[in-house]
C-alpha cells in the first residue's frame, strides 16, 4: 500500500503517503485517503447507514469504490475529459 497511515494524531487528521512510489501514485493515494477521511467525518451516520443497509463487508466495498471514484474526479475533473 502506498498510504502508510491514515488516522488521528493530536486531534488532527494525518495522511502519510509513501515517498518511494511515483508522484502520480502519491497524488492518487492522497486524494483517495482524503475521501476516506470525508466518509469518516462528513456525517457521523454515513458508515453506520451503509453497514446497517448492506452489511459490513459490502459497506466497506462501497466506501472503497466511492473513494476510488472521488480520487479520480479530483485528479481529472469531468470538464477536462469533455
Amino acid at each position: 500500500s502506498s498510504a502508510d497511515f491514515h488516522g488521528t494524531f493530536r486531534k488532527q487528521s494525518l495522511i502519510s503517503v509513501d515517498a518511494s512510489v511515483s508522484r502520480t501514485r502519491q497524488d492518487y493515494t492522497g486524494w483517495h485517503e482524503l475521501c476516506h477521511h470525508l466518509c469518516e467525518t462528513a456525517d457521523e451516520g454515513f458508515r453506520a447507514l451503509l453497514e446497517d443497509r448492506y452489511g459490513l463487508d459490502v459497506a466497506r466495498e462501497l466506501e472503497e469504490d466511492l473513494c476510488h471514484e472521488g480520487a479520480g474526479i479530483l485528479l481529472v475533473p469531468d470538464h477536462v475529459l469533455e
Side-chain angles (χ1 to χ4, degrees):
S1 170
S2 55
D4 295 331
F5 176 77
H6 173 233
T8 303
F9 178 71
R10 295 185 184 169
K11 297 184 181 181
Q12 295 182 359
S13 295
L14 175 68
I15 297 170
S16 177
V17 178
D18 185 350
S20 69
V21 298
S22 71
R23 176 62 191 216
T24 302
R25 184 64 188 177
Q26 290 175 29
D27 291 346
Y28 179 84
T29 299
W31 288 120
H32 178 91
E33 294 304 320
L34 178 63
C35 290
H36 278 296
H37 173 72
L38 293 174
C39 287
E40 185 177 306
T41 60
D43 181 354
E44 293 179 15
F46 178 72
R47 282 184 173 160
L49 173 71
L50 290 178
E51 289 174 16
D52 288 346
R53 184 166 291 178
Y54 302 107
L56 182 60
D57 290 338
V58 173
R60 286 181 178 165
E61 288 179 29
L62 288 172
E63 181 178 327
E64 194 64 22
D65 290 345
L66 286 170
C67 293
H68 285 303
E69 185 74 19
I73 289 169
L74 290 165
L75 281 171
V76 185
D78 288 343
H79 73 274
V80 173
L81 297 175
E82 295 174 352

